[in-house]
Amino acid sequence: MGASALTVLAGRAGGEKDGDPDKRAGAAWMDAWMNSKGWRRPEGGLYLGRFADPIYFLTKPITWKPNPGQEQYKEVIVPVGFVTDLASIPRIFWTALRPDGQYAYAAIVHDYLYWFQMRPRQESDTILKLGMEDFSIKRSTVAAIFGAVRLAGGAAWAENARFRKAGEKRILRKFPDDPRSTWENWKQRPNVFASALAASEVHAI
């Protein structure tokens, strides 16, 4: 069953190629420099379906991998069907920091780590920071978001643990084909989530 509102929100972190020869040369130099340092750019697109409310689900998996010097952190693979609200930013701040900003890719990885809690919370927050840096996001923005999750993320961490203990699931095996479907209604339906066994196999690290 196909997604009702399939969207590509992010591709390779450099964007599309520019027609200006000087800009192409500059981009090629930057690529060569980054490769010489062993630095990885995020690759592939971020493909999402959306419920009628602003809740999203992955229609292709995404991966965060550590760069050289970050080997103490294992890669994170977020599977197809994972449900996320992107960056959990209060509406009052949306003019400055949109939930679907360039940090959305890193925010989904962070959501996944916060939901399954297979890593310590501090490590999960650090991976969010490293993921944002992979997209060359401004230092001030990275610092603001990282500071916010370190300060206030404990409540979300505890809430997720309660929801999981109560039986809530976050990995879909079946996507809605009606654009009016809401997350609250969809999650009440039978057989829309991956089985516990399948989920544990997918998340094994």
Side-chain angles (χ1 to χ4, degrees):
M1 188 173 293
S4 58
L6 185 64
T7 314
V8 183
L9 294 185
R12 289 182 62 92
E16 297 181 358
K17 293 182 179 178
D18 196 289
D20 187 323
D22 290 338
K23 290 185 178 179
R24 286 204 306 269
W29 176 87
M30 181 60 74
D31 285 347
W33 181 83
M34 290 176 74
N35 289 335
S36 72
K37 301 293 183 183
W39 202 262
R40 297 187 183 93
R41 293 199 311 177
E43 295 186 3
L46 176 55
Y47 290 83
L48 299 172
R50 190 190 133 147
F51 289 97
D53 36 2
I55 302 294
Y56 303 82
F57 49 90
L58 285 177
T59 59
K60 290 188 178 181
I62 62 173
T63 303
W64 175 84
K65 293 184 178 182
N67 287 295
Q70 301 170 355
E71 289 84 359
Q72 68 269 38
Y73 306 112
K74 295 180 181 179
E75 73 174 18
V76 183
I77 302 173
V78 186
V80 169
F82 179 67
V83 177
T84 176
D85 63 354
L86 304 182
S88 304
I89 294 171
R91 185 177 292 271
I92 191 172
F93 299 116
W94 281 11
T95 48
L97 295 171
R98 293 175 52 85
D100 60 351
Q102 195 177 7
Y103 35 75
Y105 194 106
I108 293 172
V109 173
H110 188 249
D111 267 4
Y112 176 76
L113 292 172
Y114 259 49
W115 179 253
F116 286 101
Q117 301 181 0
M118 74 285 282
R119 315 277 179 93
R121 181 179 157 237
Q122 183 171 0
E123 180 178 336
S124 301
D125 292 345
T126 299
I127 289 173
L128 169 65
K129 179 177 181 288
L130 297 175
M132 289 190 288
E133 290 172 351
D134 288 345
F135 281 84
S136 301
I137 292 168
K138 290 192 304 183
R139 290 182 181 180
S140 58
T141 300
V142 172
I145 294 175
F146 179 70
V149 298
R150 291 307 303 149
L151 180 65
W157 183 271
E159 184 178 55
N160 284 347
R162 289 196 299 272
F163 285 153
R164 278 196 354 269
K165 186 175 181 180
E168 183 159 327
K169 297 180 180 180
R170 290 284 171 88
I171 295 190
L172 299 171
R173 60 182 284 271
K174 187 175 182 181
F175 300 159
D177 57 4
D178 184 340
R180 298 166 297 180
S181 299
T182 66
W183 163 237
E184 288 301 319
N185 288 335
W186 190 254
K187 68 182 180 180
Q188 306 301 326
R189 297 190 178 200
N191 303 318
V192 298
F193 290 101
S195 68
L197 177 61
S200 67
E201 289 171 346
V202 168
H203 313 328
I205 296 178

